[in-house]
Amino acid sequence: MDNESTLRRLKIVEGHLRGVIRMVEEDTYCIDVIRQIQAIDAALNKVSTQILENHLNSCVITAIKGNDPKERERVLKEITEVFEMSAKV
């Protein structure tokens, strides 16, 4: 995983979240707060996509090319569970 890029993005999100907390503390207009929360959601989705893409291109490919059918089944089940969980949110 490109930890440097991922951490940089997460730190940006962290700063953005602190800004939203400040907005709520200052009783900022609700719609403005919601728009900022949506921006944070989008940024987190981008980080999640980046991590998933890396996982698919490393761990999953390694398991699929490997000789252990149980490992292949395990990683494919994990991916399915991630998508199922995202559908519930």
Side-chain angles (χ1 to χ4, degrees):
M1 177 179 352
D2 183 4
N3 285 341
E4 187 176 318
S5 172
T6 300
L7 286 172
R8 186 178 66 251
R9 288 178 182 272
L10 287 171
K11 288 179 182 184
I12 290 169
V13 171
E14 177 185 31
H16 205 149
L17 181 57
R18 289 176 195 262
V20 170
I21 291 169
R22 199 169 32 257
M23 290 173 76
V24 172
E25 290 171 344
E26 296 170 358
D27 201 28
T28 302
Y29 185 60
C30 297
I31 297 301
D32 292 339
V33 174
I34 291 170
R35 285 185 179 132
Q36 294 305 311
I37 291 170
Q38 289 171 331
I40 291 168
D41 283 344
L44 285 172
N45 283 332
K46 186 150 185 147
V47 172
S48 182
T49 298
Q50 179 182 10
I51 293 170
L52 178 60
E53 182 179 338
N54 182 268
H55 180 66
L56 291 172
N57 287 315
S58 59
C59 302
V60 174
I61 287 176
T62 299
I64 289 173
K65 288 182 176 180
N67 295 325
D68 185 351
K70 288 185 179 185
E71 182 65 8
R72 280 195 298 269
E73 185 179 318
R74 184 188 68 77
V75 296
L76 292 174
K77 183 178 178 186
E78 284 178 341
I79 297 301
T80 302
E81 288 171 353
V82 165
F83 282 103
E84 286 173 351
M85 184 60 86
S86 70
K88 291 180 183 179
V89 174

